[in-house]
Amino acid sequence: MRDSHQLSERVARAKMKGMFFLLGGLLKLVAGKNRKIRKLIGEKDCIVQIRLRDRSWGQWFSFQKGKVKSRSGFHKAPDGDLVFDNARDAVKLMTPFPGRETRLQFIHMAKNFLTEAAGNDEALLHFSKITAEVLDQQYTRVGLPMPDGSTRYVNNTNAGPVFVYVKDGKILRITHIEFDETDAAPWTIKARGKRFTPPRKTTLTSYTSGIKSTIYSKDRLLYPMQRVDFDPHGERNPQNRGISGYKRISWEAAATIVADEIKRVKKEHGPGAIMNGSGSHHTWGNLGYWLSARRRFFNMIGCTYIDHNPDSWEGWFWGASHHWGNSIRNGAPDTYSTVEDLLKNAELIVFWSSDPEATSGVYGAQEGTVRRMWAKELGIPCVHIDPFYNHTAALMGGKWLAPRPATGNALALAIAYVWITEDLYDRWFVENRTTGFEAWRDYVLGKDDGIPKTPEWQEGESAVPAREVRALARQWGTCRTYLAAGGIQGFGSACRCATGVEWARSMVYLMAMQGIGKPGVNMGCLQQGTPVDTRFFFPGYAEGGLSGDLAGTGLMINMYQRMPQLMTVNTVKQSVPRLQIPQAILEGRTTGYPTDASTIRGQFFPIHYPSPGHSKVKLYWKYGGSHFGTMCQTNRYADMYRSEELEMVVNQSIWMEGEAQFADILLPACTNFERWDIGETANSGGYIQHSYTQWNHRVLTLQHKCIDPLGESKSDYAIFAMIAAKLGLGSYFTENCTELDWCKRLFDATDLPQVTSWREFLKKGYYVVPSPEENRRDPVSWNWYYEGRAKDVPEISPLPADYADTFRHGLGTQSGKLEFVSSSLSAYDPDDPERPVMSKYIPAWEGHHCDLYKKYPLFLITPHSRYSFHTMQDGKDGWLNDIEDHRVRVDGWYYWIVRLNPMDAKARGIVHGDLVEAYNDRGSVILYAYLTERIPAGTVHSYESSAVYAPIGEPGRSPDRGGCVNILTPSRPMIKKSHSTASNSCLIDVRKWEEA
């Protein structure tokens, strides 16, 4: 064995010498021919040495003014020194696109100091960038040449995979994907004598169709910028954030300032002084997403993370989960194979606060539209419950009920009253699969409080005529009905209002009363639950990509055994609730509750800021998106940014929008079309397990770098790597890998190598996962529970410890049953008046019963827009601005729209097309008045998520004409013992805008 080992080392040593000799020649050859490589080499002058630990061999490389020199032997004063324990390791790790086993070996070597990087980390990172760029050019040939001279690449977005046509380094057009004859055939559903097969192509949302205009937007941040009156060594002038302008600086200067400030605040203030946060979403890709490279970097430097509220699930997480578990889905239900079950068995669909045609579910593009058209073809009737006659109602037709905002629970109680008094519910299911029904039944009948929850009673709350509620209850109670509670089950604007906890709980109760899980009785709106293959493994973004983070991502569950990487650990034990960031900075302390989806009891442990032994936040690094358009009472954020408590603000963004204008240093990031990545359409991983069942086809994509980054923008990965190098963490952060290397590592961690090669996947750019045969499709959700069998759908919820009896039998509640009276709430705080142990009608604290209603008599609802994914596609001079259902141009400015009933407009002297001011005590927004009967009198409608924050005077103290209607929404949580937004409980008034 010893002789064999020595022989292998001798062979490896010879190969190593030849490899590095050839590398030197290749670098010089390419530098002489390739201007791009020459420019890259010229970015930094340095000398890097590669050697064995015993100094029996070495070679150094010199990079000076764009020229390369390579010599064997040892340099007397290299800037960087890369040391290997033996030649075999050096050969393996310097081979382009090494396999999984080699990467596992590298992790072993790094953790046990068998390889070390010494000296200047920036020099070593520069060397790895150069070699990677040269080797990538030798080994990567991607894209399909087209007859018009362009090249077709593949990329991905928040709403679908795309073909990207590029010519002369510029994007010509971006389209959906048309599958070819080599791609897997689609599934077919046979229902009621018909056959339904989705088209052999993908779809796009309106905002993805307009994405090219935002890539080339005049609002792109193309160069690092420094606020003109910010001096890190002198006057910082925080009061001028959002007012003063910017000057262009070099990347070297920007990275140095940021790195020096990181060191300073840690030394002067201690752990926790750096705070980092992001929007809820980012550009697509498992490597570039906010849970990947960002998490890896900030774990390494140590930071106070901003703790996200469950903003899409609010009422389900804080309420519904305590009655049926489903903590892994934040209290929402699973929907496996519900498309087939609905088409075969359902007799009615009730869309309640559900507009999938506008919201695409979440990442579903227009995939569900064809499925809803199938339901229409089958003649399945629909009912729509929403204060706004939404896009889905307009498409599907049917009955429309428009309740007063935040009163949906009253309507639900009245439906239950009719079912109880007319015996229209599933007694067998209630008696055998639930607990606590008798107590709630007595409440509905008024036996405990003297108020029967009749349709007439609810009319005084919801304003929906009693006769219509009684008719709906009878129709629902005599039909096999699908309940669509949200555009994707568990989302929906009603769960984000002051009574969202009670509304979501009442949805669970209604489904229990109808026997969820029997054929045709379930939750869904044909937006998710397609019969695609859920057993083929490909991770979603929540799995953490390259983060190395076992604590804050799903890496621990699905990826730690599949994708070797160095682990990263954040040693700061402090966080700030996202909705209380301004309070934390301005008042110096705050409290919230965590979004812990591991168990229904995870939300009971409060977060306190500041934490013991930790510093208050002094440096805020904001990453992507804008809170002005997406959080609540957002003038608070303007006040926060201008506080002296924040000594430094960094903003890493693609566009100059929203909060970017409040930064001291701006770091320009590129879009996902200008970098490498890998990802699957609609696959969010642990956030919504198997969320790709929104799509008719599972499409896995190698996201090609279609064009070079515009201006001097860089990928998020490159930005973090550059600053990490200045902190001596560059090699640790990158593991000497490019983004394309990481794509290959993630590819190797999936099931893709079993069906295609890396070279083929790299070239074609996508793979369509074949759907299973009909007899191998997932069972229908909840059918196992209805029939009393072991859970047979492919999800790991509840976790084993949360089963009260036998593993895989029952729900994640203490009883294992669906509970009308919650055991977890009974144990936690049985006397909480805001969240009682069973659902009751609690009037909204900002609604028609409160004193504020006399001053501000209009209810503002702010659902998601179909023209932007959060703030990503809004503004930016994009062509979607010209769609008059989104923004309307008046005197050269694109105004956000508010929709009013003509009666409310007439009472205020407003006509269609007026500029109006929507206002309350929290602020005001200038909007374009759109008069429509699609909204009832007393309620106004304006979509949230404007990317433009444009106060006409002092930030936070003057009307905004950008469209940030969340300036008006309340910052109060739904219930005190939560970290939640109640943005759809908002009282305002509207007046004609008279510019001073």
Side-chain angles (χ1 to χ4, degrees):
M1 291 295 294
R2 183 179 177 185
D3 290 340
S4 174
H5 172 79
Q6 289 175 341
L7 177 64
S8 125
E9 178 67 15
R10 285 198 300 271
V11 171
R13 187 177 292 259
K15 190 172 183 179
M16 175 187 67
K17 291 179 179 179
M19 175 185 292
F20 282 98
F21 175 79
L22 291 173
L23 177 61
L26 179 61
L27 290 174
K28 285 187 279 188
L29 178 65
V30 175
K33 292 183 175 181
N34 189 308
R35 182 183 303 173
K36 180 180 174 182
I37 297 294
R38 194 160 55 250
K39 181 182 177 182
L40 175 62
I41 291 171
E43 288 180 0
K44 186 175 186 64
D45 291 348
C46 62
I47 297 169
V48 174
Q49 179 172 266
I50 317 293
R51 66 175 175 88
L52 295 180
R53 188 183 304 279
D54 62 7
R55 288 190 170 272
S56 61
W57 171 86
Q59 182 147 343
W60 53 269
F61 300 82
S62 171
F63 305 99
Q64 304 289 331
K65 297 180 180 179
K67 295 184 178 181
V68 181
K69 181 190 293 185
S70 175
R71 296 287 187 273
S72 60
F74 304 97
H75 194 277
K76 60 182 179 180
D79 296 295
D81 207 11
L82 188 58
V83 182
F84 291 98
D85 198 59
N86 57 69
R88 287 166 296 140
D89 291 340
V91 168
K92 287 181 178 179
L93 294 181
M94 295 304 293
T95 301
F97 303 122
R100 181 179 179 278
E101 291 304 316
T102 301
R103 282 297 170 193
L104 184 60
Q105 186 175 351
F106 170 75
I107 302 302
H108 162 72
M109 291 164 54
K111 289 171 64 177
N112 291 281
F113 299 95
L114 296 174
T115 180
E116 294 182 66
N120 186 304
D121 210 40
E122 292 180 79
L124 291 167
L125 189 63
H126 186 57
F127 173 74
S128 67
K129 283 169 57 180
I130 294 167
T131 55
E133 187 70 34
V134 170
L135 293 174
D136 284 353
Q137 289 194 5
Q138 308 305 309
Y139 289 92
T140 57
R141 297 289 184 269
V142 300
L144 179 66
M146 304 303 292
D148 64 355
S150 66
T151 301
R152 192 189 76 189
Y153 297 102
V154 170
N155 212 284
N156 214 331
T157 72
N158 287 287
V162 290
F163 284 148
V164 184
Y165 297 85
V166 176
K167 188 174 184 179
D168 298 327
K170 189 166 185 177
I171 296 173
L172 299 180
R173 61 190 178 277
I174 297 173
T175 70
H176 66 274
I177 289 180
E178 297 272 358
F179 298 137
D180 63 35
E181 67 281 355
T182 67
D183 295 322
W187 44 265
T188 295
I189 288 175
K190 291 170 278 189
R192 312 185 201 206
K194 295 179 179 287
R195 296 172 63 89
F196 300 106
T197 304
R200 289 179 56 82
K201 63 180 181 180
T202 65
T203 59
L204 297 177
T205 59
S206 54
Y207 57 77
T208 300
S209 299
I211 203 167
K212 178 191 165 186
S213 59
T214 63
I215 296 171
Y216 291 105
S217 166
K218 63 180 179 57
D219 294 327
R220 278 289 299 269
L221 275 171
L222 299 179
Y223 306 97
M225 308 288 280
Q226 180 177 341
R227 189 161 56 84
V228 293
D229 50 0
F230 169 76
D231 181 358
H233 306 294
E235 292 296 324
R236 295 177 179 245
N237 296 304
Q239 73 281 0
N240 290 337
R241 292 184 185 130
I243 298 174
S244 50
Y246 290 89
K247 61 182 180 181
R248 177 178 169 182
I249 59 175
S250 68
W251 266 112
E252 176 64 24
T256 298
I257 291 172
V258 173
D260 287 349
E261 283 292 288
I262 289 171
K263 296 174 187 176
R264 181 189 67 80
V265 298
K266 290 176 73 173
K267 288 179 180 178
E268 291 184 7
H269 301 288
I274 301 165
M275 180 173 70
N276 174 250
S278 69
S280 295
H281 300 274
H282 198 47
T283 53
W284 200 256
N286 283 11
L287 304 181
Y289 213 75
W290 62 270
L291 282 164
S292 185
R294 162 191 169 259
R295 195 87 187 186
R296 185 178 187 88
F297 175 79
F298 285 101
N299 278 2
M300 288 179 176
I301 68 171
C303 81
T304 294
Y305 277 122
I306 290 172
D307 194 81
H308 281 205
N309 57 305
D311 53 352
S312 295
W313 294 269
E314 299 288 19
W316 298 90
F317 181 76
W318 304 108
S321 64
H322 294 290
H323 298 274
W324 65 357
N326 293 333
S327 60
I328 194 173
R329 296 176 182 274
N330 289 319
D334 57 280
T335 57
Y336 296 103
S337 291
T338 51
V339 168
E340 186 167 8
D341 180 54
L342 189 158
L343 293 174
K344 285 183 173 180
N345 301 305
E347 299 167 327
L348 175 69
I349 308 173
V350 175
F351 290 86
W352 200 326
S353 192
S354 175
D355 188 10
E357 287 299 318
T359 63
S360 304
V362 57
Y363 304 121
Q366 299 305 122
E367 296 288 291
T369 303
V370 67
R371 304 191 290 261
R372 283 183 285 277
M373 289 295 92
W374 296 340
K376 196 169 184 178
E377 181 181 340
L378 291 171
I380 302 173
C382 298
V383 174
H384 306 272
I385 305 173
D386 194 314
F388 177 59
Y389 188 73
N390 61 46
H391 298 281
T392 304
L395 175 71
M396 298 295 291
K399 183 67 176 177
W400 172 43
L401 305 181
R404 182 184 282 135
T407 62
N409 189 39
L411 196 155
L413 287 166
I415 291 171
Y417 180 90
V418 174
W419 290 350
I420 292 169
T421 56
E422 298 186 13
D423 197 22
L424 297 177
Y425 68 99
D426 190 328
R427 284 178 173 269
W428 178 88
F429 186 90
V430 168
E431 290 171 2
N432 291 276
R433 298 288 183 260
T434 76
T435 66
F437 176 71
E438 293 79 6
W440 189 68
R441 179 193 60 200
D442 289 347
Y443 170 74
V444 172
L445 297 177
K447 292 183 178 181
D448 61 350
D449 64 358
I451 304 174
K453 310 308 180 294
T454 64
E456 288 73 21
W457 163 83
Q458 73 79 41
E459 184 173 342
E461 297 298 323
S462 76
V464 177
R467 67 181 185 281
E468 295 186 359
V469 173
R470 187 170 278 106
L472 169 61
R474 289 168 176 166
Q475 182 184 18
W476 189 341
T478 54
C479 292
R480 293 180 179 265
T481 301
Y482 257 67
L483 172 61
I488 189 171
Q489 301 317 293
F491 286 15
S493 299
C495 83
R496 291 187 290 269
C497 65
T499 60
V501 166
E502 300 311 313
W503 175 78
R505 298 207 285 180
S506 67
M507 296 299 102
V508 174
Y509 287 15
L510 294 182
M511 290 310 302
M513 292 183 72
Q514 290 303 316
I516 185 172
K518 63 186 174 186
V521 178
N522 220 306
M523 297 186 74
C525 57
L526 297 165
Q527 188 60 36
Q528 59 193 125
T530 58
V532 295
D533 189 352
T534 59
R535 270 71 172 180
F536 188 98
F537 179 75
F538 191 93
Y541 63 71
E543 267 67 60
L546 56 84
S547 67
D549 184 356
L550 292 178
T553 73
L555 187 75
M556 176 171 59
I557 299 172
N558 286 324
M559 295 298 290
Y560 81 96
Q561 78 278 42
R562 285 177 168 268
M563 184 177 169
Q565 55 186 292
L566 290 171
M567 294 297 102
T568 64
V569 177
N570 181 28
T571 59
V572 174
K573 306 302 179 184
Q574 173 173 274
S575 62
V576 171
R578 177 168 59 175
L579 297 170
Q580 298 302 323
I581 300 170
Q583 182 178 327
I585 302 302
L586 295 172
E587 299 178 20
R589 62 185 63 254
T590 191
T591 301
Y593 289 79
T595 306
D596 180 353
S598 62
T599 174
I600 59 177
R601 297 162 188 83
Q603 60 185 254
F604 293 156
F605 301 88
I607 299 166
H608 297 288
Y609 168 87
S611 296
H614 286 70
S615 166
K616 292 182 180 179
V617 169
K618 298 299 177 182
L619 188 160
Y620 180 23
W621 189 322
K622 178 67 172 62
Y623 174 85
S626 171
H627 289 335
F628 281 109
T630 57
M631 293 297 105
C632 50
Q633 198 174 338
T634 51
N635 272 335
R636 300 178 301 146
Y637 291 82
D639 294 339
M640 172 201 72
Y641 276 116
R642 301 172 70 203
S643 168
E644 291 184 355
E645 291 298 313
L646 282 181
E647 298 175 3
M648 172 75 163
V649 176
V650 179
N651 193 293
Q652 186 168 325
S653 186
I654 300 170
W655 298 277
M656 186 65 171
E657 61 181 358
E659 289 168 89
Q661 61 194 302
F662 288 84
D664 300 319
I665 296 293
L666 286 164
L667 304 177
C670 67
T671 69
N672 54 289
F673 294 90
E674 300 156 77
R675 57 172 173 80
W676 289 100
D677 213 320
I678 185 171
E680 176 181 5
T681 297
N683 190 345
S684 58
Y687 271 118
I688 316 170
Q689 192 170 10
H690 300 139
S691 58
Y692 48 73
T693 67
Q694 295 175 72
W695 277 73
N696 293 321
H697 315 268
R698 286 194 67 183
V699 186
L700 319 181
T701 56
L702 192 287
Q703 297 177 211
H704 292 139
K705 180 181 178 181
C706 304
I707 58 173
D708 289 330
L710 301 184
E712 292 182 7
S713 65
K714 295 179 181 290
S715 68
D716 291 316
Y717 179 83
I719 293 171
F720 291 134
M722 184 178 192
I723 296 172
K726 288 191 174 293
L727 298 169
L729 295 168
S731 296
Y732 182 17
F733 178 82
T734 66
E735 296 186 23
N736 295 321
C737 284
T738 65
E739 285 159 291
L740 186 56
D741 292 329
W742 282 106
C743 290
K744 172 60 163 61
R745 292 174 71 169
L746 203 146
F747 170 88
D748 289 337
T750 74
D751 285 350
L752 275 170
Q754 301 174 24
V755 295
T756 189
S757 68
W758 166 248
R759 188 176 295 275
E760 178 60 28
F761 186 59
L762 183 64
K763 181 179 179 181
K764 186 174 183 179
Y766 73 93
Y767 176 79
V768 180
V769 179
S771 295
E773 299 86 355
E774 187 173 354
N775 60 2
R776 290 182 57 248
R777 292 173 181 171
D778 293 332
V780 179
S781 287
W782 295 93
N783 182 250
W784 65 273
Y785 186 67
Y786 186 85
E787 295 183 358
R789 296 181 284 104
K791 188 170 186 176
D792 56 8
V793 293
E795 69 174 15
I796 56 171
S797 174
L799 293 173
D802 264 353
Y803 279 98
D805 199 339
T806 307
F807 179 60
R808 301 288 280 176
H809 286 263
L811 306 180
T813 58
Q814 183 175 324
S815 65
K817 293 185 176 184
L818 195 153
E819 299 179 348
F820 282 87
V821 179
S822 167
S823 57
S824 54
L825 294 179
S826 297
Y828 175 56
D829 188 355
D831 300 317
D832 186 349
E834 294 186 320
R835 184 173 51 178
V837 296
M838 66 181 183
S839 181
K840 295 183 176 183
Y841 184 68
I842 303 173
W845 38 258
E846 185 157 331
H848 65 289
H849 288 290
C850 72
D851 292 338
L852 195 64
Y853 184 58
K854 299 173 185 176
K855 184 177 182 182
Y856 298 114
L858 297 177
F859 293 87
L860 171 67
I861 57 171
T862 53
H864 289 316
S865 170
R866 72 186 312 181
Y867 303 109
S868 178
F869 189 78
H870 287 245
T871 61
M872 287 185 201
Q873 281 73 34
D874 177 51
K876 309 173 188 50
D877 199 36
W879 69 259
L880 291 180
N881 282 354
D882 294 320
I883 296 177
E884 292 201 352
D885 194 37
H886 178 51
R887 286 184 181 269
V888 178
R889 185 171 179 169
V890 178
D891 296 332
W893 183 265
Y894 287 97
Y895 286 91
W896 202 253
I897 295 170
V898 62
R899 293 163 184 84
L900 300 94
N901 183 278
M903 291 175 60
D904 291 326
K906 183 178 180 181
R908 291 161 176 78
I910 296 168
V911 299
H912 186 89
D914 277 348
L915 293 183
V916 297
E917 182 181 14
Y919 66 97
N920 58 20
D921 293 341
R922 303 174 190 114
S924 66
V925 188
I926 305 167
L927 303 162
Y928 178 90
Y930 193 105
L931 275 54
T932 176
E933 297 284 354
R934 292 175 69 174
I935 195 81
T939 302
V940 296
H941 172 288
S942 187
Y943 290 118
E944 59 93 41
S945 288
S946 166
V948 182
Y949 176 64
I952 62 174
E954 182 181 356
R957 299 286 185 273
S958 60
D960 166 55
R961 67 170 184 164
C964 292
V965 292
N966 270 313
I967 287 171
L968 307 171
T969 57
S971 59
R972 175 175 170 171
M974 298 163 64
I975 58 174
K976 292 184 179 66
K977 292 184 177 180
S978 72
H979 175 207
S980 57
T981 176
S983 51
N984 280 299
S985 287
C986 180
L987 292 174
I988 67 166
D989 207 344
V990 178
R991 59 194 170 206
K992 192 170 181 178
W993 170 246
E994 300 292 348
E995 189 167 3

